[in-house]
Amino acid sequence: MRNPQLNAQGELTHLLTLEGLPADVIGAILDTAAQFVSIGEREVKKVPLLRGKAVFNLFFENSTRTRTTFEIAAKRLSADVINLNIGVSSTSKGETLLDTIDNLVAMDADVFVVRHAQSGAPHLIAEHLASLGRSHVHVVNAGDGRHAHPTQGLLDLYTIRHYKQDFHGLTVAIVGDVLHSRVARSLIHGLTALGTPEVRVIGPRTLLPTAAETLGVRVFHDMRDGLRGCDAVVMLRLQSERMNGALLPSAGEYFKHYGLTQEKLALARPDAIVMHPGPMNRGVEIDSPVADGERSVILPQVTFGIAVRMAVMSIVAGAR
Ligand code: CP
């Protein structure tokens, strides 16, 4: 079956997930992002690649980093940006998601950036657009349920490549609530597609997917064992909004076993980088001296997110 994100020529037309995305497509996004990083360092940061196009930001869930960096990215591409205020939109009066989409298509939308609590919502919109014959309208997943957060995965890959040059020979550890994390899933798919020899997940049994090994990762329940020799450590937030019932004794107990402290980080390689997608809970999954320390690249991740989102939108909207 054809990958629904790619057109008949194998070009990226939507970005829904990193799962199954060919390594050359991921590599092309990262290379394009590198050009936009250098534009971000210029005094005039705008390029005309999406001039005349309308980008609709549809965030049905809270966001700080993703929504804002998509807006900055679209503006730097010279697009018109429309941020739908979901709280006062007609979805709060019972309008279906697809009826909302039909109305926005009637307003000449070119790109939908969609965050939704339901896994599969961006995919549903992409299928709906195809059924309407609207192949010139593109969908970018900005995080759907537990399923995928592909632009976060891409900016994480970009960050690792920036600091470590390439993925061959690397050991990357993803620590914490992998079970509920769309960020972890996207990063695992991206790292394995790009040939990372060792991807580890570290966490308590209650917060790791059953049969996690089938994702191509090594599983550790002891954080100290899992951190040994790592080149990059990606910390995850406890996704309490997606948990059903108590999966942990307490936040304090969690920090003791799975919080990243300087003492635990010393087990990784001396040049290991520390990452976090945000929002970060200090004293729960990460200690402040680590979050603010010299090995932390958490804020550069946010900055790279602008260039990565510029790359994705310019590629899917055909402004190559
Ligand atoms: N990393 C991330 O998705 O952050 P936001 O929820 O602030 O967008």
Side-chain angles (χ1 to χ4, degrees):
M1 207 171 75
R2 192 165 63 76
N3 188 322
Q5 311 177 96
L6 305 177
N7 65 17
Q9 289 72 47
E11 296 167 335
L12 194 70
T13 187
H14 306 289
L15 181 66
L16 306 175
T17 173
L18 296 190
E19 187 174 6
L21 210 57
D24 62 328
V25 175
I26 296 176
I29 297 171
L30 301 184
D31 291 345
T32 305
Q35 294 168 22
F36 290 130
V37 166
S38 54
I39 286 171
E41 289 157 2
R42 292 191 327 210
E43 201 174 328
V44 177
K45 303 180 198 315
K46 275 200 164 189
V47 290
L49 291 172
L50 292 192
R51 182 174 289 155
K53 306 245 180 197
V55 174
F56 280 69
N57 264 336
L58 309 182
F59 279 66
F60 296 88
E61 248 191 11
N62 294 338
S63 170
T64 300
R65 283 145 289 268
T66 312
R67 200 204 62 75
T68 312
T69 52
F70 262 113
E71 180 170 352
I72 295 169
K75 286 181 172 166
R76 286 193 183 170
L77 292 168
S78 307
D80 297 321
V81 185
I82 297 92
N83 293 309
L84 208 72
N85 189 343
I86 301 297
V88 296
S89 78
S90 293
T91 49
S92 62
K93 298 181 190 166
E95 183 173 78
T96 68
L97 175 63
L98 296 184
D99 280 334
T100 300
I101 294 296
D102 285 347
N103 280 271
L104 300 178
V105 169
M107 298 176 208
D108 287 336
D110 294 290
V111 179
F112 289 118
V113 177
V114 183
R115 171 168 289 190
H116 205 287
Q118 293 296 324
S119 297
H123 194 285
L124 181 74
I125 295 169
E127 279 187 337
H128 180 65
L129 292 169
S131 75
L132 297 176
R134 303 278 187 171
S135 57
H136 59 285
V137 185
H138 310 278
V139 181
V140 179
N141 182 0
D144 62 327
R146 295 185 191 188
H147 171 235
H149 194 346
T151 58
Q152 179 70 46
L154 288 166
L155 78 86
D156 291 342
L157 293 173
Y158 188 94
T159 305
I160 294 170
R161 194 175 80 162
H162 177 84
Y163 289 101
K164 300 292 167 191
Q165 280 68 55
D166 69 35
F167 297 89
H168 303 292
L170 289 189
T171 299
V172 178
I174 303 173
V175 186
D177 183 5
V178 178
L179 179 64
H180 301 98
S181 176
R182 56 198 179 201
V183 173
R185 239 170 290 282
S186 288
L187 181 55
I188 290 167
H189 289 309
L191 286 168
T192 50
L194 294 181
T196 311
E198 184 147 329
V199 183
R200 301 177 180 176
V201 295
I202 305 172
R205 285 174 208 285
T206 50
L207 294 182
L208 296 184
T210 47
E213 293 87 351
T214 58
L215 295 170
V217 298
R218 274 185 78 189
V219 175
F220 292 80
H221 300 296
D222 184 305
M223 189 170 179
R224 287 180 171 78
D225 286 345
L227 288 179
R228 265 179 244 284
C230 283
D231 299 282
V233 183
V234 182
M235 300 305 299
L236 299 174
R237 182 175 67 87
L238 288 178
Q239 318 269 309
S240 43
E241 72 278 17
R242 296 191 199 123
M243 290 182 193
N244 296 317
L247 296 176
L248 295 167
S250 70
E253 191 71 10
Y254 180 79
F255 181 71
K256 188 171 135 200
H257 292 286
Y258 295 103
L260 187 62
T261 58
Q262 285 183 314
E263 175 258 324
K264 288 191 197 122
L265 181 59
L267 296 164
R269 288 176 60 92
D271 59 351
I273 55 172
V274 175
M275 299 166 56
H276 194 304
M280 182 163 68
N281 288 314
R282 292 168 185 264
V284 179
E285 70 264 1
I286 190 163
D287 208 8
S288 279
V290 177
D292 304 326
E294 60 182 18
R295 290 155 77 178
S296 167
V297 296
I298 294 169
L299 293 178
Q301 282 178 265
V302 177
T303 308
F304 292 143
I306 298 172
V308 164
R309 287 168 177 135
M310 287 174 79
V312 169
M313 286 191 286
S314 63
I315 289 172
V316 295
R320 280 157 237 268

